[in-house]
């Protein structure tokens, strides 16, 4: 897998990441969502440099201009619910993309430390021959990303796969590396070293879904 860890280079992205991690700034839910969206836009911009392009000529009021435009049919797939602001950020740039949504949550059967991923809701167009961008803001164990990809298989075989995350744990990055093909790209804004006993990224930022949308009752 090609891993593009954008934190290896200093940029404005550092400010957005710092704000979503900051426990004080996190209390502003709208700012949290908007920063996730801005990070999605930056990741999208970097990813766009690797797409296939072809020349298209447009008429200006004064003449003609030949421009290289991307040629890939993109499907954005996000994991509910934390993926929604990240999805918006990607869609802000890939404005003609098709969209897929899937719900995946951790079901703790016996104790808080062990869980299985339950996929319930799935809405997806055909993926055959298209470029699939699979977005999950927190790549903790990597199990949601892999379970989602398994659930998408009946919808066709994508030509290219890009995974997009905001913060990952090294274990999660290793897990997706083991479970996706070597041509898959991972675009990620930061990689942290550890996971807590409950499967949270440390230092991470906490629960991205709760921070974006408010706390939920556990089931
Ligand atoms: N999901 C989150 O929202 N945060 C984590 O740290 C891990 C998974």
């Amino acid at each position: 897998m090609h891993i593009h860890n954008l934190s290896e280079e200093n940029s404005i992205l550092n400010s957005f990441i710092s704000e979503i991690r900051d426990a004080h700034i996190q209390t502003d839910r709208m700012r949290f969502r908007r920063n996730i969206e801005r990070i999605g836009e930056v990741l999208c911009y970097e990813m766009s440099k690797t797409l296939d392009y072809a020349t298209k000529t447009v008429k200006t009021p004064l003449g003609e201009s030949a421009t290289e435009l991307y040629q890939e049919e993109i499907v954005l797939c996000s994991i509910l619910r934390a993926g929604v602001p990240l999805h918006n950020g990607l869609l802000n740039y890939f404005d003609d993309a098709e969209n897929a949504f899937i719900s995946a949550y951790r079901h703790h059967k016996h104790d808080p430390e062990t869980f299985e991923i339950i996929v319930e809701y799935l809405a997806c167009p055909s993926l055959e021959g298209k470029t699939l961008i699979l977005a999950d803001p927190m790549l903790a164990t990597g199990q949601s990303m892999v379970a989602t990809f398994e659930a998408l298989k009946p919808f066709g075989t994508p030509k290219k796969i890009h995974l997009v995350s905001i913060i990952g744990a090294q274990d999660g990055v290793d897990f997706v590396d083991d479970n996706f093909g070597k041509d898959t790209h991972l675009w990620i804004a930061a990689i942290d070293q550890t996971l807590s006993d409950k499967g949270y990224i440390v230092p991470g930022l906490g629960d991205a879904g709760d921070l974006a949308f408010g706390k939920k009752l556990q089931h």
Side-chain angles (χ1 to χ4, degrees), residues 23-212:
H24 177 64
I25 299 175
Q26 284 179 344
T27 56
D28 181 346
R29 216 177 267 167
M30 188 173 74
R31 189 164 191 91
F32 184 82
R33 289 194 302 270
R34 181 62 190 122
N35 274 325
I36 298 269
E37 199 175 322
R38 293 201 286 185
I39 294 165
E41 290 168 357
V42 173
L43 291 166
C44 186
Y45 174 73
E46 290 299 323
M47 180 199 307
S48 74
K49 297 175 186 174
T50 67
L51 300 177
D52 293 335
Y53 284 77
T55 310
K56 185 178 176 213
T57 301
V58 293
K59 283 194 197 316
T60 77
L62 300 176
E64 290 192 338
S65 172
T67 316
E68 296 293 306
L69 297 179
Y70 74 85
Q71 289 303 300
E72 301 184 24
E73 286 183 280
I74 291 176
V75 180
L76 295 176
C77 178
S78 294
I79 304 176
L80 300 172
R81 63 191 166 130
V84 171
L86 180 58
H87 193 102
N88 282 343
L90 298 168
L91 196 55
N92 285 348
Y93 283 11
F94 291 134
D95 42 62
D96 58 354
E98 293 179 279
N99 298 273
F101 294 96
I102 186 161
S103 75
Y105 68 92
R106 293 174 173 184
H107 176 59
H108 298 270
K109 223 182 203 165
H110 306 296
D111 56 71
E113 282 158 38
T114 56
F115 57 85
E116 58 177 329
I117 304 291
I118 308 285
V119 170
E120 273 176 350
Y121 175 79
L122 175 51
C124 186
S126 166
L127 298 175
E128 194 62 40
K130 298 181 184 167
T131 298
L132 172 64
I133 300 177
L134 194 48
D136 188 6
M138 304 301 282
L139 189 59
T141 63
Q143 289 180 48
S144 305
M145 198 76 107
V146 172
T148 300
F149 186 56
E150 280 305 312
L152 292 177
K153 283 188 174 164
F155 294 85
T157 307
K159 190 170 166 200
K160 294 186 184 174
I161 301 170
H162 294 271
L163 309 179
V164 177
S165 264
I166 293 185
I167 302 179
Q170 190 59 53
D171 285 353
V173 172
D174 294 343
F175 189 72
V176 293
D177 194 10
D178 290 343
N179 284 277
F180 282 86
K182 64 176 174 31
D183 293 336
T184 302
H185 290 258
L186 169 66
W187 302 89
I188 190 158
I191 299 177
D192 290 357
Q193 282 316 307
T194 47
L195 274 181
S196 73
D197 293 344
K198 292 186 179 164
Y200 279 89
I201 299 170
V202 181
L205 52 73
D207 189 305
D210 285 0
L211 288 163

